[in-house]
Amino acid sequence: MTHDLVAALRPLLTAEASAEAHASGAEPGDLEQAVWLRLLERLDAQGPPADPPQWLRRAVRSEVRRTRRTTRRERRYEGCDEPTDDRDHGPEQLALDAARRRALHAAVRRLPGRCPRLLAALLSPQDLTYREIAGELGISQGSLGPERSRCLGCLRRLLTAEVAARELRG
């Protein structure tokens, strides 16, 4: 009985949750999950509802109201304007990060063909768009993705060989 009920209600629940989610600020999947949980709890306590589609609609709307109430009660933490950043920003970590960036840029410069210019543009702090990079390199925007993939493959092989060589030296 439960499997048949779930199979029959799934399309209706998906449609109802999608329709109501925007108004509550919730994700449709979260609403669906909450309603399925309510249904399982009800099946355990009272058995299946007399009119499952009607029950499902009421349950979705009830979850939407609960979500709205919860959202209204939640307050932003006043002591912080930025998201929490758990990374260590001490001098040692900054030095290690800078050394990694230098090693990466040095490896990029050793790549063949257009790869150094392409990857340097992608790594640029200016955060260039594909259109800007294609214009700067004089290639079509459509060939940028495949070219980037080839260059990253070359870089991966180069770095893998270097790491393996360092480990052998001991």
Side-chain angles (χ1 to χ4, degrees), residues 124-144:
S124 169
Q126 296 167 347
D127 198 24
L128 302 170
T129 65
Y130 265 30
R131 177 176 288 164
E132 292 168 334
I133 293 171
E136 185 178 303
L137 298 177
I139 61 176
S140 73
Q141 190 174 342
S143 67
L144 202 56

Side-chain angles (χ1 to χ4, degrees), residues 85-121:
D85 185 2
D86 293 337
R87 293 178 294 181
D88 179 19
H89 291 292
E92 296 88 6
Q93 188 61 46
L94 293 173
L96 287 171
D97 291 344
R100 282 189 196 104
R101 279 192 302 278
R102 282 192 303 273
L104 176 63
H105 284 279
V108 165
R109 285 190 298 273
R110 290 193 308 271
L111 291 173
R114 290 191 290 205
C115 289
R117 288 185 60 210
L118 174 61
L119 291 181

Side-chain angles (χ1 to χ4, degrees), residues 37-152:
L37 181 61
R38 274 187 179 211
L39 179 61
L40 289 174
E41 289 170 347
R42 180 186 165 92
L43 289 173
D44 244 5
Q46 303 167 3
D51 184 7
Q54 185 61 33
W55 177 91
L56 184 123
R57 288 183 189 99
R58 282 195 315 269
V60 168
R61 283 165 186 78
S62 175
E63 279 301 318
V64 166
R65 285 190 303 274
R66 186 192 61 75
T67 301
R68 273 196 223 123
R69 278 192 311 272
T70 303
T71 303
R72 265 185 271 151
R73 289 181 184 156
E74 290 176 346
R75 293 190 184 156
R76 188 170 183 274
Y77 178 64
E78 297 297 325
C80 182
D81 290 333
E82 295 294 320
T84 304
D85 185 2
D86 293 337
R87 293 178 294 181
D88 179 19
H89 291 292
E92 296 88 6
Q93 188 61 46
L94 293 173
L96 287 171
D97 291 344
R100 282 189 196 104
R101 279 192 302 278
R102 282 192 303 273
L104 176 63
H105 284 279
V108 165
R109 285 190 298 273
R110 290 193 308 271
L111 291 173
R114 290 191 290 205
C115 289
R117 288 185 60 210
L118 174 61
L119 291 181
L122 289 169
L123 292 170
S124 169
Q126 296 167 347
D127 198 24
L128 302 170
T129 65
Y130 265 30
R131 177 176 288 164
E132 292 168 334
I133 293 171
E136 185 178 303
L137 298 177
I139 61 176
S140 73
Q141 190 174 342
S143 67
L144 202 56
E147 183 82 17
R148 181 200 63 165
S149 294
R150 283 190 294 275
C151 292
L152 288 174

